[in-house]
Amino acid sequence: MKVGALEAGGTKMVCAIVEVNGRDTWEILDEVSIPTLSPAATLPMLVDYFRGKEIEALGIACFGPIDLHKDSPTYGYITTTPKTGWANCNIVGAFAKELKIPVGFDTDVNGSLLGEATFGCAKGIANSVYITIGTGIGAGVMSNGKLLHGMLHPEAGHVTLKRHEKDADFVCNCPFHDSCFEGLAAGPAIAKRWGKKGVELSDRPEVWEMEAYYIAQALVDYIMVLSPEKIILGGGVMHQPQLLPLIRAEVKKQVNRYIRTSQMEHLEDYIVGASLGDDQGILGACCLAMEAC
């Protein structure tokens, strides 16, 4: 089955044509990256890419917040995003109208989790969480084998965190909250706090100790509320190789042996990096396309 996949991010839109054999194998036949400009500039380029490719369906894994309720008049819309120009954008409608094929739709992080649960390290696991830590922070949640939706969808990047003792005076980088996960630990927050981007701070242990403190605190919240069997961490910030061991150590410290399971005894297998390179979002979008047929 040949499908289109769109990983719609706030900085770039990754488009791909993928040949999939059920949930066993895949081949990415073609892939391009298009800058996320305004909808008027970007959407026609995206539609043109997929037009004439003989795809059976399209899957969109999109930055949010988005409307996922199919009985809603704004189903398929990007809703209250702070991304300039994209609020109230009917992204699904734009493709359905022009391509006239089924369109699957979910959040970018749910897409990444679906990719990992179908083809990657969460395959066969009924309860898992994928967190991306980059320009923003978000999480996809799988509960009893199904992606979690509800009133909206998880906005796990905006849980409130306790400040690190050396970070009391930092002005949270989120325009909505004064002490949330994204505003304290996403890539722009790191740059704002330390005056350099994370890639320029690799040799500063205090940077990554504080980052691990915040990430671990959020993970402990998710562990207590969602009880996942696997936690996967992706995104640009997680390209720092020193982070995962620091996060695991801090999770162990903060849980303080309150939860005693095999996963908590083997954190190296429980809290892991993305296993599909940078393809988990595209492969998750493929799954959304298949489900739309």
Side-chain angles (χ1 to χ4, degrees), residues 199-275:
V199 293
E200 303 173 85
L201 296 164
S202 297
D203 60 348
R204 298 274 300 276
E206 68 273 22
V207 173
W208 306 108
E209 287 166 7
M210 183 178 292
E211 185 71 5
Y213 171 83
Y214 284 132
I215 295 171
Q217 190 181 157
L219 297 193
V220 171
D221 286 346
Y222 306 153
I223 289 167
M224 299 301 178
V225 175
L226 300 169
S227 200
E229 298 164 285
K230 178 80 80 175
I231 296 173
I232 307 160
L233 299 174
V237 171
M238 291 306 305
H239 290 166
Q240 295 288 331
Q242 69 272 41
L243 250 184
L244 262 175
L246 291 171
I247 292 166
R248 292 175 184 136
E250 188 63 30
V251 166
K252 184 175 182 179
K253 176 182 176 182
Q254 292 187 26
V255 170
N256 198 25
R257 294 192 59 78
Y258 178 72
I259 294 178
R260 303 186 186 189
T261 64
S262 60
Q263 289 90 345
M264 295 303 299
E265 294 300 320
H266 300 281
L267 291 177
E268 69 280 3
D269 297 320
Y270 180 48
I271 301 171
V272 300
S275 68

